[in-house]
Amino acid sequence: MQAEPSTQAPVLPQGCTNFKLRQLMRRVANHYDAEMAKCGLKTTQYSLLSHVLKLGPIRPGDLAAEMKMDASTLTRNLRPLVDAGWVTLEAGADARSRLVHITEAGRDKRAEAQRYWKAAQLALNEVLGVERVLALHALVDDSLDLLAALPVQEAGNDE
């Protein structure tokens, strides 16, 4: 007796992947933002302070590239940190270049904020489970590598 060939269609994802990822991102971002608000920072500001601490002094264009954001977004996100005295924009090697530096107050704010970030991370690990978080990180990293081959279009440039 010979088995009949399968006529079932392959199982395909249902729903919009973009929408599902945005749902997850909103939930995760809200979790981190609620914790970071306890020290008066947004998660994006903490990330920016962390990058400047690690990489600085650094040219704004290089910082934007490292953080995978466009220069105008970086400029907009730097402004409140400069206004608070946590980072400075100082003259670079020539008259046309500038460097982003973290100040002592910025180092202190980042150290304070790190405790809240860690609390958010540990709570997420607890809720999701460390194995799931590790698997999520691996899936995101693999997906980013695969998607790097796609052409990048600027917002509003949908052809």
Side-chain angles (χ1 to χ4, degrees), residues 3-4 10-11 17 24 44 63 68 72 94 98 105-106 112 138 140 152:
E4 292 193 27
V11 177
T17 303
L24 177 62
T44 53
L63 181 58
K68 300 191 178 15
S72 64
D94 62 52
R98 299 185 342 168
E112 175 193 359
V140 167
V152 176

Side-chain angles (χ1 to χ4, degrees), residues 132-155:
R132 183 173 278 117
V133 173
L134 288 169
L136 181 60
H137 285 208
L139 181 61
V140 167
D141 289 342
D142 289 347
S143 297
L144 286 170
D145 288 345
L146 292 168
L147 291 170
L150 290 179
V152 176
Q153 290 189 352
E154 296 297 321

Side-chain angles (χ1 to χ4, degrees), residues 31-100:
H31 168 74
Y32 278 86
D33 285 341
E35 198 62 42
M36 297 305 295
K38 295 175 184 176
C39 69
L41 281 184
K42 295 178 180 177
T43 306
T44 53
Q45 293 170 323
Y46 171 72
S47 180
L48 195 47
L49 281 174
S50 295
H51 277 82
V52 174
L53 177 64
K54 179 181 174 187
L55 303 171
I58 186 170
R59 295 181 326 165
D62 294 337
L63 181 58
E66 282 289 328
M67 296 185 72
K68 300 191 178 15
M69 66 171 57
D70 62 60
S72 64
T73 300
L74 176 71
T75 299
R76 190 171 50 253
N77 290 345
L78 273 176
R79 179 57 35 211
L81 301 182
V82 170
D83 291 346
W86 297 327
V87 298
T88 59
L89 286 170
E90 299 175 8
D94 62 52
R96 295 181 305 151
S97 68
R98 299 185 342 168
L99 294 174
V100 181

